[in-house]
Amino acid sequence: MRTDNRVRRARDFFRAAAFVAVGSCLAMSCGNLRKQAADEVVAVHPVGPAFNADSAYLFCQQQCDFGPRTMNSEAHDLCEQWIIGKFEGYGLTVQTQKATLRGYDGTPLRSTNIIATYKPELTDRILLCAHWDSRPWADNDPDEANWKKPVLAANDGASGVAVMLEIARLLSSSAPQVGIDFVCFDAEDWGTPQWSDADDTGDTWALGAQHWAEVFDSRRASDGINYRFGILLDMVGGEGAQFYQEGMSLQYASAVVDRVWKAAQTVGFGSMFPAQPGGYITDDHIPLNRVAKIPTIDIIPYYPTCEQSSFGPTWHTVSDDMSHIDRNTLRAVGQTIVQVLFSLSATE
């Protein structure tokens, strides 16, 4: 999936021209928005229900209680059923998209994309997504002895799903005027490890999203679904996180970036969403933009001063656990998404 300035790949660097420092990294190791288009409908005051960060934190913890949700594992299978049950419990219609995908080394991966639908009768929809699998190898850990240990993935996996589940819970009592699909992508984090000699052209990441995009593209005409836009949530619970405007998101869906960063400012979290460019990331939003042709952005943190990783000190390490999940980060992202959804009109 990722691009990080420490990873040994040709694509592995950040190309943003300018950044401002966000202060020091975590103790362990470390505005001005574009003018909205005249025809864009964006609420200028907070709307929608309050996002409950304690609830999202619990959803994150409950996923981690299964252990690392690595591909082909019992923990993976058990967590799949738990996620399905949570969405169904909030009244959403759930479908699964199963496929055997191939890892970078040829390993068959039993993959399940989980698709939870709110207001399935509407063809005009919004796409919210996150990946739910765990990285099998802590290949960016500062201790080489940990490089082949699995990652618990509290932030890099569970946090995005947790935010989506809390939003789904809120929908059971509050109703925005649009259809919403929550897609939990699988097999995102099986990309070529840093310790491998195998070539990595970038397509070993986001395997579940690649599959979903190909299926959607092949059925586009018959299904008649129109996605206005998509928002990918990746690593949205970490301590000290700030969410710069990711480069590929700006390239493919700048209007969506504008909308989301304006929403963050409106609900009081503008300082956590700097209106400045971030890195160019290989993530689940790439096939959604390129193959499915859905303008999709990536809400993903950027730590410009963190020596361990530009994604923060816990990225692809054994330290990606609940002790480094911050309720305020979950709240900032969750309330921003609520603002976006409840600002939309049925006819926009």
Side-chain angles (χ1 to χ4, degrees):
M1 166 202 118
R2 314 273 198 265
T3 303
D4 182 77
N5 59 3
R6 292 178 56 87
V7 181
R8 297 178 291 107
R9 298 196 294 266
R11 314 177 73 153
D12 299 341
F13 61 95
F14 278 89
R15 297 178 289 179
F19 299 100
V20 294
V22 296
S24 61
C25 230
L26 307 186
M28 63 177 289
S29 71
C30 321
N32 290 323
L33 291 159
R34 271 186 210 83
K35 188 176 180 205
Q36 300 292 315
D39 59 348
E40 190 173 356
V41 179
V42 179
V44 295
H45 54 83
V47 294
F51 184 88
N52 189 325
D54 289 333
S55 178
Y57 185 92
L58 177 61
F59 292 147
C60 198
Q61 177 69 69
Q62 289 173 323
Q63 291 172 80
C64 290
D65 287 344
F66 292 105
R69 284 82 60 211
T70 55
M71 303 301 298
N72 302 336
S73 69
E74 181 182 12
H76 179 273
D77 295 343
L78 291 173
C79 189
E80 173 190 332
Q81 294 306 310
W82 179 84
I83 293 172
I84 292 170
K86 295 302 289 185
F87 278 120
E88 289 181 336
Y90 298 134
L92 278 70
T93 302
V94 180
Q95 296 178 315
T96 58
Q97 185 184 66
K98 293 185 176 290
T100 299
L101 307 175
R102 294 286 171 181
Y104 80 97
D105 56 355
T107 299
L109 307 175
R110 301 192 310 272
S111 173
T112 304
N113 290 329
I114 303 168
I115 305 155
T117 302
Y118 169 77
K119 291 189 175 181
E121 70 279 6
L122 300 179
T123 57
D124 193 34
R125 312 191 62 76
I126 305 300
L127 178 65
L128 294 182
C129 49
H131 80 90
W132 69 277
D133 60 307
S134 296
R135 178 76 167 159
W137 318 284
D139 56 330
N140 200 53
D141 198 275
D143 185 350
E144 184 176 349
N146 293 328
W147 285 359
K148 295 191 178 181
K149 294 180 180 179
V151 178
L152 186 57
N155 192 30
D156 192 2
S159 66
V161 175
V163 169
M164 294 201 302
L165 285 172
E166 173 58 11
I167 291 172
R169 187 187 72 82
L170 294 175
L171 295 178
S172 63
S173 59
S174 303
Q177 301 301 306
V178 292
I180 303 167
D181 284 344
F182 299 86
V183 181
C184 302
F185 290 124
D186 205 358
E188 189 273 346
D189 237 343
W190 191 272
T192 308
Q194 297 188 51
W195 43 257
S196 172
D197 293 329
D199 291 335
D200 184 7
T201 59
D203 58 2
T204 63
W205 305 85
L207 299 179
Q210 290 183 52
H211 178 67
W212 186 92
E214 290 165 1
V215 171
F216 176 78
D217 185 55
S218 68
R219 297 178 179 175
R220 185 191 311 271
S222 59
D223 288 353
I225 293 176
N226 173 56
Y227 286 109
R228 297 186 191 180
F229 58 83
I231 301 174
L232 172 63
L233 307 176
D234 199 352
M235 297 187 285
V236 292
E239 296 171 305
Q242 284 188 303
F243 302 95
Y244 287 71
Q245 298 175 343
E246 188 271 330
M248 301 305 289
S249 303
L250 288 169
Q251 177 178 324
Y252 285 106
S254 61
V256 185
V257 172
D258 288 344
R259 178 189 294 273
V260 172
W261 265 250
K262 176 63 175 178
Q265 187 180 61
T266 299
V267 296
F269 291 104
S271 64
M272 296 179 68
F273 284 76
Q276 299 184 46
Y280 287 71
I281 312 301
T282 300
D283 208 344
D284 288 321
H285 67 314
I286 300 300
L288 299 185
N289 280 292
R290 291 179 176 172
V291 179
K293 302 297 189 295
I294 302 168
T296 304
I297 70 164
D298 193 1
I299 297 180
I300 190 168
Y302 178 64
Y303 294 75
T305 63
C306 183
E307 182 179 351
Q308 178 65 21
S309 167
S310 299
F311 294 120
T314 68
W315 176 71
H316 291 183
T317 74
V318 296
S319 298
D320 186 2
D321 56 30
M322 289 301 297
S323 68
H324 301 292
I325 295 297
D326 184 357
R327 287 174 174 82
N328 194 53
T329 305
L330 293 169
R331 180 181 293 107
V333 175
Q335 199 64 58
T336 296
I337 299 302
V338 167
Q339 180 72 16
V340 170
L341 296 178
F342 283 81
S343 296
L344 294 169
S345 68
T347 58
E348 183 182 348

